[in-house]
Amino acid sequence: MSMGTPIGTVFAGNVAQDCLRREFATVADQNLFGVHGAALEVRSRRLGLLASNIANASTPGFKARDIDFREAMQAASRPGGLSTGSIDAATKYRIPLQASLDGNTVELSTEQTAFAENAVAYQTTLSFLNGRIGQLTRALRGE
């Protein structure tokens, strides 16, 4: 009777390779794009949240929320990296400057300004990443 490779060893080897592959992909993403990939994700989520605030401007009792970009990016720099939980932890309720009688905390002008500023920042980050990808493509082609 021949003794082959034990199944547990093969399984453990595959798990280790998968872990290394995921870790390498994370390190490669961080080295290639720095914090810009995480910034794009946070800005994208913030655009969605601000759009929801604007859409609910006349909904009685709606509470406006926003993502603290600095807090979310600090979470992205920690060992666990950016996750849904870290973005949710950076999401806060907005305190209105002028209270509404129906309990709605959305101030349309504030939300529209924040949306426009965030959209510009999103576009800037996206342009930077496109430029970086173009550089990498040219380097791979040997140009």
Side-chain angles (χ1 to χ4, degrees):
M1 177 163 61
S2 72
M3 296 289 283
T5 305
I7 292 175
T9 305
V10 172
F11 177 75
N14 289 341
V15 170
Q17 285 177 347
D18 287 344
C19 288
L20 284 172
R21 198 173 301 122
R22 272 183 261 139
E23 185 65 27
F24 178 75
T26 301
V27 169
D29 287 346
Q30 289 172 353
N31 289 337
L32 291 176
F33 303 119
V35 298
H36 299 289
L40 195 66
E41 175 65 24
V42 172
R43 291 193 191 287
S44 174
R45 292 279 301 269
R46 187 168 184 236
L47 280 172
L49 196 59
L50 293 171
S52 174
N53 290 347
I54 292 168
N56 287 291
S58 60
T59 303
F62 184 81
K63 305 297 181 204
R65 297 181 305 152
D66 197 0
I67 295 174
D68 183 345
F69 183 78
R70 182 172 295 167
E71 186 178 327
M73 291 308 294
Q74 285 174 348
S77 66
R78 292 189 202 118
L82 189 64
S83 67
T84 302
S86 61
I87 293 177
D88 289 343
T91 302
K92 311 290 184 203
Y93 286 99
R94 191 183 305 271
I95 299 171
L97 298 174
Q98 187 172 356
S100 173
L101 294 176
D102 65 0
N104 186 310
T105 62
V106 175
E107 294 177 321
L108 200 53
S109 61
T110 302
E111 301 299 328
Q112 289 172 331
T113 302
F115 186 88
E117 289 173 352
N118 193 64
V120 168
Y122 179 89
Q123 201 58 36
T124 302
T125 304
L126 190 60
S127 294
F128 177 82
L129 286 173
N130 281 334
R132 183 70 177 134
I133 290 169
Q135 286 177 338
L136 293 171
T137 303
R138 287 189 298 279
L140 290 172
R141 288 185 191 148
E143 296 176 1

